[in-house]
Amino acid sequence: MEVYNHDLIILGTGLAGLRAALEAAQQSKGELDIALVSKLQLMRAHSVAAEGGTAAVMRQDMGDSFELHAWDTVKGSDFLADQDVVDFFVHEMPKEILHLDHWGIPWSRTEDGHIAQRPFGGHTYPRAVFAADKTGHLEMQTLYDTLMKHTKKINRYDEGFVTSILIENNRFAGLTMIDMINGKLVLIRGKALILATGGAGQIFGFTTYSETVTGDGLAMAYRAGLTLKDMEFIQFHPTGLIPSGILMTEACRGEGGTLLNNKDERFMGAYAPSKMELAPRDMVSRSEMTEIEAGRGFPGPEGLDYIHLDLRHLGRKQILERLPLIREVTIKHIGLDPIEKPIPIRPVAHYTMGGVHTDIKGHTPVENIWAAGEVSCVSLHGANRLGSNSTAECLVWGRVAGGEAARYCANASMPEMPKTAEQEWAKIEALIASTGTEDHYQIRKELRKNLDATMGVFRTGEQMEAGLKKIRELKERYKKISLKDKSLRYNTDLERAIETGFMIDVAEVATLGALTRTESRGGHARRDFNVRDDENWLKHTMADYTEAGPKLSYSKVDISMWKPVERKY
């Protein structure tokens, strides 16, 4: 086992991870020894798939305000967001847009040269700043290019598959990692860790997520003793391309795209008359499923019935200027040009509102661990995230966590050599040597099919009970898996097997939390408890690891600005 020592370790190199690294490097004036660890090549993080925009108050002189952005976010969250967190976020976010502007991002602009903004669902002002429909990719590229000015103390571990987070005496002590390139077992030690590994969308079969988004950081944190919060709240994006699930950005509707059923009706008027297609995502997704279940959809492959996203009326010029990636993707994947034909879409698993519990500064209860981005739950999004608030969250809390961790490292000592590293390697070696009869690929396939069926846009207690039972059966079967590849170098068989174990843990936490929450709120819509219950459920779900399964408890929601009201649009 090789051992590498650094000051600050950042696990995950998407928007939150890169922003954290850049802030830490700037805070320390380049003197901090930073390790960037990713199971991918650095610029392959899923953040590059973010398309539509990043929310910020940039037009206070033209009708927008911090209070309005905060209200939209709180209302959109179905009043489960912590309001002190929301207030902090809306005030910090415009600075991030200007930072990126000064670092050279090619924001789309108005004719008079101002940074352009467009409407997004649930926002009462068009505040989504964008770069055509490649916003996440260009934000990533800008952060990476700027970070390269600090390369002297930046150490990259690309294609390093981390298998565990080691916490001893309530301090982070290290990461165990398989160096996939060289086929080595590695221990990476550091004074502090920033967790920025993203969500867990691959626990679903029909999802917008890259194959790599398997909830690794969530599961490792959970197993190491960190609390997961509000994991039952999964966002379904209204416009996933049939049959792949690839995201058709909300910018399509922000630019004026419409949703049509098989009667060629613009049906959102029956569900959210004031917002139409730009209602919050949970509402639009439920409306689409209601149309499909009522027989007003189109028959699709493998039960994936769909409705239409129509951009034709926008015209060729607007589509080529504002939505070029959407056109490229639909032509490439289904041979359809949205200039000429409507796009087949349906709701698709898209975002994890819950995550590792942190305070308002992204700090976990462990002294030297922070979390930022989708892996964390600071609780900005509550029960439903507004579109364009996610890339924004990554930027704000990437910066905050990077600065906090850098200041901590300046005065901290290196934790003692972890005693549990050898135990983790023993588990990996046992997995490689295993001779069980179960196929972990089949287990993953069944898990994803199960989540699609039991934890979708609409849920019932009966479905989720069956789903939880299935997850626990898969958990037992997983103990009997075996591998065909017994090597270490680029052993994707081993990597997929470990990922599947992570996915099972995350799925169990999410399903148990959803089954226990006997109400409907935001992205958690139960047909057997179809109203929001503030008296009993205005609280966060907290899940802690035990050998027997998740142990649930609850914590208060910060209601410091607005009392909950009925959520209408």
Side-chain angles (χ1 to χ4, degrees), residues 66-349:
F66 294 127
E67 185 178 34
L68 193 57
H69 190 186
W71 167 248
D72 290 344
T73 300
V74 169
K75 183 181 178 184
S77 79
D78 223 347
F79 295 90
L80 200 70
D82 286 327
Q83 295 178 18
D84 56 341
V85 168
V86 174
D87 186 58
F88 174 77
F89 163 73
V90 300
H91 282 86
E92 292 298 310
M93 192 50 227
K95 304 170 191 175
E96 293 303 309
I97 297 297
L98 295 178
H99 281 315
L100 285 164
D101 191 43
H102 296 159
W103 292 329
I105 192 171
W107 291 127
S108 295
R109 295 190 177 267
T110 61
E111 289 184 2
D112 61 3
H114 286 88
I115 294 171
Q117 293 179 282
R118 61 181 161 210
F120 253 61
H123 292 273
T124 52
Y125 188 89
R127 64 172 66 93
V129 176
F130 62 97
D133 57 353
K134 302 176 183 179
T135 307
H137 174 74
L138 290 168
E139 288 174 342
M140 282 273 291
Q141 192 67 60
T142 302
L143 290 173
Y144 175 72
D145 289 349
T146 308
L147 184 60
M148 288 301 96
K149 298 175 183 178
H150 303 279
T151 52
K152 288 183 181 179
K153 294 291 179 91
I154 300 288
N155 304 272
R156 284 174 52 181
Y157 295 93
D158 288 7
E159 297 181 289
F161 183 67
V162 175
T163 63
S164 70
I165 297 168
L166 304 179
I167 297 173
E168 296 183 5
N169 301 315
N170 201 43
R171 288 190 78 195
F172 165 70
L175 302 174
T176 56
M177 183 187 83
I178 302 169
D179 177 347
M180 299 291 281
I181 298 171
N182 300 302
K184 296 178 180 178
L185 301 179
V186 174
L187 171 66
I188 306 181
R189 300 174 65 212
K191 297 177 181 177
L193 170 70
I194 297 176
L195 192 59
T197 52
Q202 276 291 316
I203 63 175
F204 289 86
F206 190 62
T207 178
T208 63
Y209 277 89
S210 307
E211 287 288 332
T212 54
V213 187
T214 48
D216 305 10
L218 291 162
M220 288 188 289
Y222 171 63
R223 293 176 182 180
L226 291 171
T227 300
L228 299 186
K229 181 164 65 178
D230 289 341
M231 288 298 295
E232 64 266 41
F233 295 105
I234 308 292
Q235 180 163 88
F236 287 82
H237 196 289
T239 51
L241 182 66
I242 298 295
S244 63
I246 293 172
L247 176 67
M248 297 290 99
T249 172
E250 192 156 307
C252 292
R253 287 171 286 131
E255 292 293 335
T258 56
L259 298 173
L260 305 175
N261 61 22
N262 64 15
K263 299 180 183 295
D264 213 32
E265 296 169 336
R266 227 182 128 183
F267 57 84
M268 281 307 299
Y271 302 97
S274 70
K275 287 290 187 183
M276 298 294 286
E277 285 84 0
L278 289 175
R281 290 175 178 175
D282 60 327
M283 291 187 168
V284 181
S285 292
R286 289 194 292 274
S287 302
E288 290 179 354
M289 289 308 300
T290 300
E291 291 292 303
I292 289 169
E293 290 175 356
R296 293 188 288 273
F298 299 88
E302 298 181 14
L304 294 175
D305 292 355
Y306 60 87
I307 51 100
H308 277 155
L309 170 62
D310 192 5
L311 307 180
R312 293 172 294 178
H313 55 284
L314 302 184
R316 182 182 186 88
K317 182 177 183 295
Q318 186 175 355
I319 290 172
L320 292 180
E321 179 184 335
R322 296 296 185 93
L323 301 168
L325 180 62
I326 291 302
R327 183 169 186 255
E328 179 185 334
V329 167
T330 55
I331 290 173
K332 179 178 179 180
H333 286 270
I334 61 172
L336 181 149
D337 188 341
I339 294 172
E340 300 171 355
K341 295 181 180 179
I343 304 169
I345 56 92
R346 68 177 276 137
V348 58

